[in-house]
Each structure stands twice: as structure tokens, then as C-alpha cells.
């Protein structure tokens, strides 16, 4: 099995590379493959002839995207469109990573989002990621789109930031009114690997760790496992923005994605607490 991976220097890509380490991998980044240029994509794919193309390239700076929507659209929508067209031409299976931000995030907190729920993104990031999904659906027959959320792993991420703050401060404020599933990049890569090897039906799937929490409760769990004594104070999103004097793109209050569709296909998805323990064992060693 020959697999082409874009955005190969990113956090998720590192986990995907490890997941498929026994396969023949073609690793690319913007230096050797510009996914926004369809002729570059076409030439590269024809020369390398992969069986699968895993797109880990994305513009993920949620706040900066508000001022740079054209750049975000180029990477998050035009790039996937090009990959979809060429994948379809060459009969390659395209695997793409999307986000909970394609939804409005305002669904009742007791409910979860399903794959076919109405999409109503309220940020430039979410809008461009939804456009990318739509381009793939329109231009490619053989594809998987995995929507994820709250991703952390080998690179700068929320858990690493909280560890640094907890070790240097006696008290921190953390948002308590945003709900979702912290997702370990290693587990997301495993989900992708299981899907490919099991040949589950093509389509869109929600792929996060199991279980739901808030950033506040998640931080408390981080400190508990890491034996950090810092006090964590819950605040609302509005209080946090006011206190930090920052301008932010709107964050979804509800990022709870149902994994029912993946589970029905026999995909194993670990609980987020188990994932956090495994990550911290590596991070703190």
C-alpha cells in the first residue's frame, strides 16, 4: 500500500506517519507539493501513483482566519478541491480531516452533533473547512472525511500549555462553558488506520476520543494525573475574553460529536481520559 501524506510536518501527520510506518509513504509539505496548484498536484500524483492520499494540510489558525479568509480558503477549500479532482482522475482514495467548526456550536448542550446535521459555521475557519468538505463530495467518489475536535499531540497544544501554566502559577482561569471531546492525535491516526484496513464505507465520519468534558474539567484532570497543585477556576468564555483582553473568533459552546457511525463499523475508539494518561506518560517521561 502506497500512501501520500500532505502537511507531513504537522502534529496529526506525525501520528499518521507512525500509524502507517510499515507502508510505503510519500511525505510532502508545501516545499515540495503546493496543493493549491492543481497542475502541481496532478504531476506529483501521476509520478508517484499512491493508493491513498491523506490530506493533513490545513490552515488551522482560527482567530487569524477572520482577517485572512482568502488564505484560509486557498488551503482549506481550494487545496482539497484539487486533491479531490486528481484523486478521482487517478482512482485514488482521498482521506481528509475536517472539524466540529462546520457546525454552529449552539445546539443544546444535552445533545450531540451527527454527521448529517445542518451545517452553519460562524467563523472564517469553519466556513472554509465546510467548503473543503463540499468540494470533496462534489469532485471525488472514493473519500473519507473525518471531523475531529480539541486535538492534541506531538507539538504545541492545550495540554502542554496547561502543564507549563500549572507548573509556574498557583491559580489559573479556564473556560467552563465549552463542551467537547479532547482528542489524542495518536488515537485519531488509529481511527484512520482502522477505517482504511477495514475498508469501511466511504463518507463523512465524526472521529474524536470517547466521552465529553469542558476545558475546565479537562484541565483539572490534566493536573490530577500530572500531580500538579495549581488551583483551576472556572470562567465563562466571555469572562475569559474580557480578562485576557483578546479578540477571538467565536468558539462553539457545543462541540460534542457523535461517534455512533464509526462504532457501528466496528472502529475502536478509546475514552479521552485513557488517551490523556497515555499522552502524559510520554510527555512527562
Amino acid at each position: 500500500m502506497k500512501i501520500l501524506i500532505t502537511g507531513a510536518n504537522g502534529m496529526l501527520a506525525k501520528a499518521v506517519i507512525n500509524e502507517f510506518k510499515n507502508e510505503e509513504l510519500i511525505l510532502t509539505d508545501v516545499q515540495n507539493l503546493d496543493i493549491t496548484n492543481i497542475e502541481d498536484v496532478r504531476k506529483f500524483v501521476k509520478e508517484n501513483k499512491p493508493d491513498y492520499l491523506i490530506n493533513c494540510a490545513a490552515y488551522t489558525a482560527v482567530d487569524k482566519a477572520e482577517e485572512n479568509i482568502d488564505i484560509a480558503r486557498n488551503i482549506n477549500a481550494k487545496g482539497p478541491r484539487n486533491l479531490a479532482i486528481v484523486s478521482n482522475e487517478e482512482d485514488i482514495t482521498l482521506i481528509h480531516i475536517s472539524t466540529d467548526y462546520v457546525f454552529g456550536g449552539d445546539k443544546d448542550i444535552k445533545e450531540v452533533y451527527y454527521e448529517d446535521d445542518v451545517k452553519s459555521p460562524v467563523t472564517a475557519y469553519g466556513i472554509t473547512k465546510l467548503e473543503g468538505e463540499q468540494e470533496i463530495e462534489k469532485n471525488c467518489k472514493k473519500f473519507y472525511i473525518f471531523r475531529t475536535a480539541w486535538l492534541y499531540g506531538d507539538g504545541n497544544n492545550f495540554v502542554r500549555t496547561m502543564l507549563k501554566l500549572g507548573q509556574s502559577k498557583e491559580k489559573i482561569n479556564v473556560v467552563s462553558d465549552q463542551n467537547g471531546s479532547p482528542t489524542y492525535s495518536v488515537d485519531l491516526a488509529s481511527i484512520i488506520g482502522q477505517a482504511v484496513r477495514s475498508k469501511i464505507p466511504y463518507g463523512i465520519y465524526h472521529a474524536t476520543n470517547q466521552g465529553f468534558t469542558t476545558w475546565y474539567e479537562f484541565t483539572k484532570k490534566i493536573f490530577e494525573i500530572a500531580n500538579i497543585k495549581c488551583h483551576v477556576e472556572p470562567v465563562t468564555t466571555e469572562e475569559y475574553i474580557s480578562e485576557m483582553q483578546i479578540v477571538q473568533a467565536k468558539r462553539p459552546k457545543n462541540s460534542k460529536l457523535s461517534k455512533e457511525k464509526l462504532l457501528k463499523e466496528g472502529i475502536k475508539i478509546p475514552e479521552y481520559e485513557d488517551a490523556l494518561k497515555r499522552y502524559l506518560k510520554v510527555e512527562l517521561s
Side-chain angles (χ1 to χ4, degrees):
M1 182 162 55
K2 188 186 282 191
I3 303 172
L4 192 162
I5 301 173
T6 67
N9 292 325
M11 179 171 66
L12 176 58
K14 292 176 187 175
V16 170
I17 290 165
N18 188 60
E19 174 68 24
F20 291 101
K21 63 184 180 225
N22 294 325
E23 307 297 338
E24 183 179 352
L25 302 181
I26 308 154
L27 307 182
T28 74
D29 218 316
V30 66
Q31 289 83 2
N32 59 336
L33 177 60
D34 178 6
I35 65 170
T36 68
N37 184 318
I38 193 166
E39 290 310 320
D40 279 3
V41 173
R42 189 171 276 127
K43 182 173 183 290
F44 194 92
V45 169
K46 281 181 177 294
E47 287 175 355
N48 288 278
K49 297 181 170 36
D51 303 299
Y52 291 86
L53 198 165
I54 304 179
N55 182 32
C56 293
Y59 187 98
T60 58
V62 176
D63 295 325
K64 289 182 179 178
E66 295 298 312
E67 298 176 355
N68 300 288
I69 190 167
D70 290 341
I71 298 173
R73 178 167 281 127
N74 213 29
I75 299 168
N76 293 341
K78 184 180 179 183
R81 173 183 176 273
N82 293 340
L83 296 175
I85 290 171
V86 174
S87 293
N88 206 55
E89 289 172 354
E90 300 298 319
D91 196 32
I92 294 164
T93 298
L94 175 61
I95 299 166
H96 178 71
I97 314 304
S98 193
T99 172
D100 58 301
Y101 276 76
V102 300
F103 299 110
D106 54 356
K107 199 173 190 179
D108 189 289
I109 205 60
K110 295 175 183 175
E111 300 180 34
V112 296
Y113 280 100
Y114 296 95
E115 284 82 354
D116 293 333
D117 281 351
V118 173
K119 318 302 179 296
S120 51
V122 295
T123 65
Y125 171 65
I127 290 167
T128 59
K129 289 296 285 185
L130 177 58
E131 290 171 355
E133 288 189 12
Q134 292 167 337
E135 291 289 358
I136 291 171
E137 288 187 277
K138 185 168 63 177
N139 291 293
C140 189
K141 293 188 181 74
K142 296 165 59 175
F143 70 85
Y144 296 111
I145 293 173
F146 294 102
R147 292 192 191 120
T148 195
W150 294 25
L151 195 65
Y152 65 92
D154 182 9
N156 293 327
N157 65 80
F158 180 84
V159 182
R160 191 171 284 179
T161 298
M162 291 303 104
L163 288 172
K164 289 178 182 175
L165 288 174
Q167 290 162 347
S168 62
K169 295 180 179 292
E170 293 183 359
K171 172 188 169 185
I172 60 171
N173 295 340
V174 181
V175 170
S176 61
D177 59 355
Q178 296 174 24
N179 297 259
S181 302
T183 305
Y184 187 15
S185 59
V186 169
D187 290 347
L188 176 54
S190 171
I191 289 169
I192 295 169
Q194 291 177 69
V196 167
R197 295 178 186 110
S198 301
K199 297 188 182 335
I200 67 173
Y202 296 123
I204 298 176
Y205 294 89
H206 287 168
T208 66
N209 276 116
Q210 288 278 55
F212 303 116
T213 188
T214 64
W215 291 119
Y216 163 70
E217 292 291 346
F218 187 48
T219 302
K220 291 209 302 181
K221 182 59 65 175
I222 294 167
F223 289 174
E224 176 190 321
I225 296 169
N227 196 28
I228 292 173
K229 303 304 181 186
C230 177
H231 175 72
V232 187
E233 187 72 22
V235 295
T236 66
T237 301
E238 289 72 24
E239 287 170 337
Y240 177 78
I241 291 172
S242 176
E243 174 201 352
M244 299 299 290
Q245 296 184 329
I246 55 177
V247 177
Q248 278 192 326
K250 186 178 179 182
R251 264 43 176 188
K253 296 292 179 72
N254 185 345
S255 292
K256 295 164 70 173
L257 303 180
S258 167
K259 271 70 72 178
E260 185 178 333
K261 189 176 175 184
L262 270 183
L263 293 170
K264 283 182 176 177
E265 296 298 331
I267 303 299
K268 294 180 174 60
I269 308 174
E271 294 285 332
Y272 80 84
E273 289 187 24
D274 171 73
L276 178 62
K277 288 174 184 175
R278 284 183 281 117
Y279 172 77
L280 288 175
K281 186 175 181 181
V282 174
E283 185 71 11
L284 298 174
S285 62

